[in-house]
Amino acid sequence: MTVLSLSACSAPAGGQSTGRIKVAMLQPPRSGLSPFSDDAFKLSRWSTAETLVNLDARGDAHPALATAWTRTSERTWEFTVRDGVTFHDGSRLTAQVAANALTRATQATPKPRILDGVELTATAEGGKVVVTTRVPDPLVPHRLSSPQLAILAERAYGTDGKVDPVGTGSGPFKLIKVNGTTTATLDRHDGYWGTKAKAPGIDVSFVPDGAARAAAIRSGEAHIAEAVPVSQAALLAKETISEVPMPRTNTLYLNTAKGPFKSPGLRAAARASIDAGQLVRGVYEGRADVASGLLGPALPWAAEGRKSLGERTAPASAKGVAITLATYSDRAELPEVASVLQQQLRGAGFAVELVVREYAHIEEDALAGKFDAFVLSRATVLDSGDPVAYMQADFTCDGSFNLACLCDEDVDRAVGKAAAADAGPARHAATLEAEAMILRTDAAIPMLHERVIQGDATTVLDSAKDPRERVLITAETRVK
């Protein structure tokens, strides 16, 4: 994967570091570091588990454990497996091993998120992995880049459906030990097929408290701290903070099925009342970007190809219209965002009741359409590196995460066209057409795009700054 990196100084003599990298991570493992869960992203960020395909900064597919691929029919793809790859347990990568890993993923309960709604089979034929989907899918290589479809040695997969990544990856770092939800230890894998790691190892601590992660950078207890809260960023030395736009948009979803926002004019009134710049300057202390669409600067092609929406629905009078605005407290900034929005909407005439709960206690009501408006921090690029899946889930009639309860034939048609388009410029153009169609409904009002804020000690060289948060430590990362 192509990522932004920070290089401050030259490497120590010989190119390798004498110091282990100490990392403070946001969330502890939730599923025993199973690659079929969100824990897969930890394995990816530690460069211990690898996939057949990687994505570059624009979201285009590039070789990884697969050196090449060919679409042999509408539903079939062939992937050539890289020669000379040895897993951390000493076994070798073959097409059969890769096909086994993908097959286990399709059989997992629950399925990896990247396979939600996708039916595929993987077999080894003539030294290649043949992937066949039930319906034509132009994004198969992109799907195989998901950390949830990492290829591990055969012994990683138990008969009980559990997966053990300890000592079974193929990356430049070997996972040695995991101490529950507190720490993890990785050592350099000297038999790595690619560029050898310059650091001797990684010592991971799981530190859910954002203030504690920031303090670990200040005290020297950590060399790298992920996901530094906005409120803590100002407390760190400027040279230890980096910000990268991430594909996550803070969006106001409006209930189009019932209540006041069934009216396009009142949705337009809500849109017209919002000052996103105030949110960026105040709540995010300037560490975010005002949204010009659903897709932000983490996807450079979106800004390059976006066109004017043209004439929009005119705002109706909102005087005295009562609405319920809701959000969740798990993300520290959202309650404050909702509070500011409450004032802005009141300024337009709305009478606003504010509801804030933990996400686990509010999601069901939000999906059931029990609120008039809902503030959500939403990842717009899901595991395939492509935003169409997000649009399908959030804005189509059959979408599984349709907080706006939107059902619009024109939107469904535009999103369907984007889903069928081949990867590359044609898909980008169709995706932006779908974005424009969604925005014209005012069912969702994008307010700002968040940034990845990462803490790095001044002694750290070449840590990854990845908008998708798939990579953190690479073979080049080291401590001087």
Side-chain angles (χ1 to χ4, degrees):
M1 176 183 291
T2 301
V3 292
L4 301 176
S5 62
L6 177 67
S7 297
C9 305
S10 59
Q16 291 188 345
S17 168
T18 57
R20 296 176 64 84
I21 304 169
K22 297 182 291 184
V23 184
M25 304 287 288
L26 167 61
Q27 293 177 333
R30 295 178 174 176
S31 303
L33 287 178
S34 168
F36 301 153
S37 71
D38 281 350
D39 288 353
F41 290 83
K42 293 177 177 58
L43 302 176
S44 173
R45 285 170 75 72
W46 301 334
S47 288
T48 189
E50 299 180 300
T51 50
L52 290 174
V53 179
N54 279 340
L55 299 181
D56 67 13
R58 292 183 65 87
D60 296 327
H62 288 269
L65 292 182
T67 57
W69 48 88
T70 304
R71 191 175 189 176
T72 58
S73 74
E74 277 197 331
R75 299 188 300 112
T76 306
W77 297 73
E78 288 185 355
F79 292 81
T80 302
V81 174
R82 186 178 297 277
D83 289 331
V85 175
T86 302
F87 290 103
H88 299 153
D89 67 351
S91 62
R92 296 185 69 82
L93 172 66
T94 64
Q96 182 61 49
V97 170
N100 173 69
L102 296 178
T103 299
R104 296 296 190 114
T106 66
Q107 298 170 346
T109 304
K111 274 186 178 182
R113 187 173 58 211
I114 188 64
L115 296 180
D116 186 23
V118 177
E119 294 182 28
L120 65 79
T121 60
T123 58
E125 298 179 15
K128 295 184 178 181
V129 178
V130 179
V131 175
T132 303
T133 56
R134 184 178 62 84
V135 297
D137 185 354
L139 281 188
V140 166
H142 293 70
R143 293 192 193 282
L144 298 192
S145 76
S146 170
Q148 293 185 326
L149 298 183
I151 309 299
L152 301 180
E154 284 193 328
R155 79 168 180 85
Y157 305 94
T159 56
D160 57 359
K162 293 183 178 179
V163 187
D164 185 4
V166 176
T168 56
S170 62
F173 290 99
K174 177 180 179 180
L175 183 59
I176 301 297
K177 186 178 182 180
V178 181
N179 295 314
T181 59
T182 57
T183 63
T185 304
L186 300 93
D187 289 343
R188 180 169 49 227
H189 174 44
D190 290 327
Y192 183 55
W193 59 268
T195 302
K196 307 299 186 292
K198 292 183 177 179
I202 309 169
D203 296 318
V204 179
S205 297
F206 301 110
V207 186
D209 183 77
R213 288 195 305 280
I217 292 293
R218 291 196 300 270
S219 67
E221 292 180 10
H223 296 118
I224 301 172
E226 66 170 8
V228 174
V230 168
S231 61
Q232 295 295 315
L235 303 179
L236 293 175
K238 185 177 180 180
E239 62 270 20
T240 65
I241 283 289
S242 62
E243 301 177 42
V244 178
M246 66 189 302
R248 178 174 287 278
T249 303
N250 194 310
T251 302
L252 179 65
Y253 288 76
L254 302 180
N255 189 336
T256 64
K258 60 183 179 181
F261 290 128
K262 189 174 181 179
S263 161
L266 287 176
R267 295 201 298 271
R271 163 175 49 83
S273 74
I274 293 173
D275 180 356
Q278 183 183 3
L279 297 173
V280 169
R281 294 187 302 272
V283 180
Y284 285 84
E285 300 177 12
R287 299 180 187 275
D289 299 288
V290 173
S292 55
L294 296 169
L295 310 178
L299 297 174
W301 55 264
E304 294 167 3
R306 183 176 287 122
K307 298 176 183 177
S308 170
L309 292 177
E311 189 173 347
R312 306 287 297 273
T313 299
S317 172
K319 187 175 181 179
V321 175
I323 61 172
T324 301
L325 170 66
T327 194
Y328 50 102
S329 57
D330 304 54
R331 286 186 172 268
E333 294 83 15
L334 292 190
E336 189 176 352
V337 167
S339 180
V340 174
L341 282 180
Q342 182 183 36
Q343 298 305 314
Q344 293 182 354
L345 289 164
R346 282 177 173 171
F350 289 100
V352 186
E353 178 189 356
L354 184 59
V355 176
V356 179
R357 303 179 202 152
E358 290 183 3
Y359 187 79
H361 299 145
I362 204 169
E363 182 188 50
E364 183 177 352
D365 284 350
L367 288 172
K370 293 187 177 181
F371 306 113
D372 298 309
F374 194 86
V375 179
L376 181 77
S377 174
R378 180 64 162 141
T380 58
V381 173
L382 304 182
D383 296 344
S384 65
D386 178 77
V388 176
Y390 142 72
M391 292 180 176
Q392 288 175 319
D394 287 32
F395 304 113
T396 61
C397 294
D398 295 327
S400 60
F401 202 74
N402 194 342
L403 294 177
C405 303
L406 180 65
C407 187
D408 183 289
E409 289 184 2
D410 291 335
V411 169
D412 274 25
R413 191 178 301 111
V415 173
K417 178 183 175 182
D422 289 338
R427 192 177 184 90
H428 294 166
T431 300
L432 291 175
E433 289 176 10
E435 179 198 55
M437 197 66 67
I438 294 165
L439 292 175
R440 289 190 189 102
T441 70
D442 285 322
I445 302 170
M447 298 179 292
L448 59 92
H449 305 294
E450 298 180 12
R451 300 176 186 170
V452 179
I453 304 178
Q454 182 173 307
D456 288 81
T458 55
T459 55
V460 173
L461 306 176
D462 291 327
S463 68
K465 311 296 187 297
D466 179 16
R468 299 185 193 94
E469 298 184 287
R470 291 184 175 192
V471 185
L472 178 64
I473 296 173
T474 72
E476 297 294 327
T477 310
R478 60 213 184 271
V479 179
K480 63 181 178 181

